[in-house]
Amino acid sequence: MVVTVLEEMRIRSLGVIDDAVVELSPGFTAVTGETGAGKTMVVTSLGLLLGGRADPALVRIGAKSAVVEGRITLAPGAPAMLRAEEAGAELDEGALLISRTVSAEGRSRAHLGGRSVPVGMLGELADDLVAVHGQTDQQGLLRPARQRKALDRYAGDAVGAPGAAYATAYRRLRAVAAELDELTTRARERAQEADLLRFGLTEIAAVEPLAGEDTELAAEAERLGHAEALASAASLAHAALAGNPEDPEGVDATTLVGGAGRALDAVKAHDPVLAGLADRMGEIAILLTDVAGELAGYADNLDADPRRLAAVEERRAALTGLTRKYGADIDAVLAWSEESAARLTELEGDDERIGELTAERDALRAELSGLAQALTDARTEAAARFAEAVTAELASLAMPHARVSFDIRQTESPDESAGVDVGGRSVVYGPHGADEVELLLAPHPGAQPRPIAKGASGGELSRVMLAVEVVFAGSDPVPTYLFDEVDAGVGGKAAVEVGRRLAKLARSAQVVVVTHLPQVAAFADRQLLVEKTVDGSVTSSGVTVLEGEDRVRELSRMLAGQEDSETARAHAEELLATARSDA
């Protein structure tokens, strides 16, 4: 059966590491070495492969860039495999190749299965591949928000389902409240806007303008203002075309053209060219007759009434009053009127909208009350199981009398109408419900449970962290766990128990531990030594797989600082024997 395993990493020019290959086993791998040898660079390298922040200060002095490459075998159908294939990644015999390059100038590039991808893509895969825990993660566990997330993660769908519904209702409530707040706080401004719109619409309605009316009236005013000149010109033109009845001997254009036409008609049969000219002369005669008739009609119909001119100018003045306020012309005024009527309808509907939003807000708040109560109930039930499981794990980590519990509480809302109802009380609520979750520890009988930030020593906190992760492994496992010196502050028998517990966790997942404790390293299926050598001004690190005598020597060094101490060697061999007997 193929399982998801981080097989190896190659690290080049990162920190003190020049060029090293880290070979990992499917079970429990311990990474050891002297302080400053570069053990933490293993954790940093994996962080880069998983989309962590690229710090140019990590690039080895003198190098142009640092490169980390990883090879991960993926189980068929694993979420990470499907996501990688969607991104266009190609697998190499069932393994996914990941590469991250960080330049000395700060630029960062990522490759997934031979395909260049955004660094964020590596971060998306991280949650399905590796859980990384170090000293900073322990500090994170001290925050109540992180503890609530841990509890919710453990509870699974019991919290996830109502939590998703709660989040949807909460976002909608925020949007409704924001709109309601705008409508109510800006009521005066909107009322003033509505009054201005009503005034403008009333003024336009009183005039009743028609589309294009201003253009038509301008033309009519121009005509009426020059009526006498227009009539005189039309009469003279008509006389020139059709003759003046009062001057029988006068010559007009119609008579002359008619004579010319008759002259050509008489001979056009003898020459086609002249026949064409005769036809055109006939057309001219017809056109002159038509124009003369229209000139006579124009002169007869021309209205020179001063009263009509006054009425036109008065109407134009009324229209000009509108165009000065509401648009460049009457068409623009009518467009403004249409838009303003729609806006006024919207503003006049504010009261109705406020009522609708108020009702929706109250309904959403009632819905949130029910969902918040469901979240509280689910968290309370899960907290009891989670605390019991973690307490049992602590007993296996040399803390037999320690007790872990959760304090799940709510804060009463100062404004009863602004809270949600949980347990018959109006309480403050947020995007994740109304609960404040805090992990408590009573390290020994008779001790009052206190927040782990105040009630746990460094060693106790490390073991609580490990216990929490072991419990998670049973309910929400990831393929690989990386612990960076989470055994800090632990020693003696407790250290042996930590090693034993990590070995148990490794039965169901790949576990990589960066440690300085021989009691922990002895339980590893594979031990890697990060060793630094100094050659002039160039420092390089190598990573070696320790086996047999070499592993005994390294455990001796970790125990007594002396690889060749007989007492330390005997103790190292005893640790290895104890670990093998537990396997």
Side-chain angles (χ1 to χ4, degrees):
M1 176 182 177
V2 178
V3 295
T4 298
V5 174
L6 175 62
E7 293 183 352
E8 67 177 26
M9 290 191 299
R10 183 175 183 182
I11 309 168
R12 286 178 288 175
S13 301
L14 186 71
V16 298
I17 298 180
D18 179 19
D19 190 348
V21 175
V22 181
E23 298 179 359
L24 302 171
S25 68
F28 179 6
T29 299
V31 181
T32 64
E34 293 185 358
T35 301
K39 300 189 299 297
T40 300
M41 287 298 103
V42 176
V43 180
T44 301
S45 299
L46 185 56
L48 288 173
L49 285 182
L50 299 177
R53 186 178 67 87
D55 185 353
L58 296 173
V59 179
R60 184 177 171 83
I61 296 175
K64 293 182 179 179
S65 61
V67 180
V68 182
E69 298 169 315
R71 180 182 178 88
I72 301 177
T73 299
L74 294 175
M81 174 183 283
L82 300 177
R83 186 68 185 92
E85 290 177 342
E86 289 176 1
E90 296 182 1
L91 299 183
D92 179 20
E93 298 180 354
L96 180 65
L97 302 181
I98 304 176
S99 173
R100 182 79 180 276
T101 302
V102 180
S103 72
E105 291 79 24
R107 293 188 300 274
S108 175
R109 291 179 298 162
H111 288 81
L112 185 66
R115 178 67 60 89
S116 178
V117 296
V119 173
M121 172 64 68
L122 304 185
E124 291 180 19
L125 297 178
D127 290 341
D128 295 322
L129 293 175
V130 181
V132 180
H133 295 289
Q135 295 297 312
T136 56
D137 298 278
Q138 290 188 14
Q139 297 303 314
L141 189 63
L142 302 181
R143 297 194 297 270
R146 182 74 175 272
Q147 294 167 13
R148 177 195 53 74
K149 290 181 181 178
L151 177 59
D152 289 353
R153 175 183 161 195
Y154 177 80
D157 288 342
V159 166
Y166 179 95
T168 299
Y170 180 81
R171 287 192 297 270
R172 178 56 188 163
L173 178 59
R174 292 285 298 272
V176 168
E179 185 178 354
L180 190 58
D181 182 63
E182 180 191 6
L183 289 177
T184 53
T185 57
R186 294 186 54 203
R188 180 178 299 175
E189 296 176 20
R190 298 167 80 89
Q192 292 173 347
E193 182 184 358
D195 286 343
L196 290 175
L197 292 177
R198 288 192 195 94
F199 178 84
L201 291 171
T202 300
E203 191 172 14
I204 293 172
V207 176
E208 296 182 342
L210 301 175
E213 183 181 5
D214 51 342
T215 302
E216 295 174 3
L217 288 176
E220 185 178 0
E222 185 72 14
R223 186 170 61 253
L224 290 172
H226 300 81
E228 292 184 3
L230 294 172
S232 176
S235 297
L236 290 174
H238 179 269
L241 294 177
N244 187 348
E246 297 180 357
D247 185 10
E249 296 181 359
V251 180
D252 59 80
T254 301
T255 300
L256 293 174
V257 170
R262 288 190 295 273
L264 294 176
D265 285 340
V267 296
K268 67 180 182 180
H270 305 297
D271 187 352
V273 175
L274 198 62
L277 294 174
D279 291 341
R280 290 168 64 187
M281 190 62 71
E283 294 172 359
I284 293 173
I286 293 172
L287 182 58
L288 286 175
T289 301
D290 289 344
V291 172
E294 291 183 17
L295 286 172
Y298 177 84
D300 291 340
N301 294 328
L302 187 62
D303 187 358
D305 185 357
R307 290 176 297 180
R308 174 57 187 167
L309 177 59
V312 168
E313 292 296 352
E314 182 179 356
R315 179 65 176 172
R316 290 186 69 201
L319 296 178
T320 301
L322 298 181
T323 56
R324 278 201 303 265
K325 297 180 180 179
Y326 308 112
D329 53 31
I330 289 301
D331 287 347
V333 170
L334 292 173
W336 181 92
S337 176
E338 183 177 352
E339 294 171 1
S340 297
R343 174 61 174 164
L344 182 59
T345 299
E346 177 185 337
L347 293 173
E348 289 177 337
D350 277 356
D351 290 342
E352 181 180 351
R353 180 60 177 159
I354 288 173
E356 293 174 355
L357 289 173
T358 300
E360 184 178 4
R361 180 199 62 190
D362 294 343
L364 285 168
R365 196 168 278 162
E367 180 183 358
L368 283 179
S369 293
L371 291 170
Q373 182 68 64
L375 284 173
T376 298
D377 294 342
R379 284 173 177 150
T380 301
E381 189 277 332
R385 291 187 292 108
F386 191 17
E388 183 179 355
V390 173
T391 297
E393 288 298 327
L394 289 177
S396 300
L397 293 172
M399 295 178 65
H401 304 297
R403 293 290 179 270
V404 168
S405 60
F406 277 95
D407 179 18
I408 300 177
R409 60 185 182 276
Q410 300 82 35
T411 300
E412 291 197 20
S413 174
D415 180 0
E416 185 172 339
S417 63
V420 296
D421 187 272
V422 175
R425 298 180 301 138
S426 178
V427 299
V428 175
Y429 63 98
H432 305 290
D435 301 321
E436 298 174 30
V437 177
E438 193 163 29
L439 187 60
L440 307 179
L441 174 68
H444 53 81
Q448 288 296 320
R450 301 180 64 196
I452 59 172
K454 301 175 181 178
S457 65
E460 289 171 338
L461 182 58
S462 296
R463 281 177 279 176
V464 171
M465 181 72 179
L466 178 58
V468 167
E469 202 56 64
V470 169
V471 171
F472 277 149
S475 61
D476 185 23
V478 293
T480 300
Y481 293 89
L482 175 62
F483 294 92
D484 180 17
E485 297 192 7
V486 293
D487 50 18
V490 177
K493 181 180 178 182
V496 173
E497 296 301 332
V498 168
R500 185 175 282 119
R501 210 71 196 94
L502 288 168
K504 183 178 180 181
L505 178 60
R507 295 172 189 169
S508 59
Q510 182 183 30
V511 176
V512 181
V513 178
V514 177
T515 182
H516 66 281
L517 291 180
Q519 296 94 326
V520 172
F523 281 86
D525 301 307
R526 169 177 290 189
Q527 184 171 346
L528 303 179
L529 173 64
V530 180
E531 196 170 21
K532 180 172 64 175
T533 61
V534 179
D535 182 11
S537 60
V538 178
T539 303
S540 62
S541 290
V543 181
T544 307
V545 179
L546 298 179
E547 296 179 347
E549 181 64 23
D550 291 335
R551 188 172 184 186
V552 172
R553 286 175 55 83
E554 171 61 9
L555 289 175
S556 299
R557 180 199 65 78
M558 297 172 71
L559 282 164
Q562 299 175 350
E563 296 91 333
D564 299 323
S565 167
E566 290 299 326
T567 302
R569 287 177 58 84
H571 192 183
E573 291 171 350
E574 182 181 358
L575 279 176
L576 287 172
T578 300
R580 293 191 185 103
S581 66
D582 283 358

